[in-house]
Amino acid sequence: MRMLSRGLALLLVSLGLLGAAAPLAAQTPASPPGKSYVRDDLASDVIRLEEQFRKETPAALVGRPAAQLRGDGLAAANRNDHKRGVQLIAAAIVADPKDAGSWLAYTRTALAANAANSSDRWIFQHRATTAAYGAYLRASARADEASALALLGEAYATREVWRPALDAYKASLA
């Protein structure tokens, strides 16, 4: 679909209909450079999740160093306080959104959470899926990319979404 849209945009440009091609080109997301596993739906979800984290981060946590927030979040998760853990790690993501380690920590903590009700469980599982892809997009080392994709597969498997789980696992091995 994306190739068709870009091809159509190029055709419109070549015919001199640049004005018609500009909105079409703006809607077509670019593939992440150097990434072989591309999911446009998840890429959009990552942007929305990061914005949601900004809205949910308490003012008391704003301005604290990302490493400290992530460490505090992991400590809370180790005490089985996963709700506080994901809140602190989400604040770490807000403090440094380019740090793949915080995205991975969020994914692991959200997957480990044993939510009391199905609504919270659903939120944790979906956010874990999105955060795993966010970690993949931000990972600079191949080993970190593989870890993020393996976690993405685990997140999909937790939700019993099997085809994307298998695809993510396969990509993590490549």
Side-chain angles (χ1 to χ4, degrees):
M1 175 80 174
R2 186 173 3 148
M3 295 298 283
L4 178 64
S5 298
R6 287 185 183 163
L8 182 58
L10 290 173
L11 177 64
L12 291 173
V13 169
S14 68
L15 292 175
L17 302 173
L18 180 62
L24 190 67
Q27 293 176 358
T28 306
S31 297
K35 304 292 183 181
S36 60
Y37 185 81
V38 179
R39 291 285 309 258
D40 292 335
D41 58 329
L42 286 177
S44 297
D45 289 347
V46 169
I47 294 167
R48 283 192 291 277
L49 183 61
E50 190 177 335
E51 184 58 34
Q52 191 64 36
F53 286 164
R54 271 191 193 79
K55 291 177 185 176
E56 293 174 356
T57 298
L61 299 178
V62 175
R64 289 179 53 191
Q68 179 187 8
L69 289 165
R70 185 173 67 209
D72 292 348
L74 291 172
N78 287 336
R79 293 188 309 270
N80 287 326
D81 187 359
H82 293 97
K83 193 167 189 165
R84 178 72 175 155
V86 294
Q87 179 186 43
L88 288 165
I89 298 170
I93 291 171
V94 170
D96 186 6
K98 294 181 180 181
D99 179 26
S102 293
W103 289 91
L104 285 170
Y106 185 93
T107 303
R108 288 184 183 107
T109 305
L111 286 174
N114 293 323
N117 62 49
S118 61
S119 176
D120 285 346
R121 188 171 28 260
W122 185 89
I123 290 169
F124 282 139
Q125 290 173 351
H126 281 268
R127 286 184 171 191
T129 305
T130 303
Y133 193 71
Y136 169 70
L137 292 176
R138 287 154 177 82
S140 56
R142 299 286 291 164
D144 292 337
E145 287 180 357
S147 293
L149 288 172
L151 278 173
L152 179 59
E154 182 180 342
Y156 274 130
T158 300
R159 294 171 44 204
E160 297 181 5
V161 182
W162 304 116
R163 174 47 47 200
L166 292 172
D167 291 343
Y169 281 133
K170 180 181 176 184
S172 76
L173 296 172

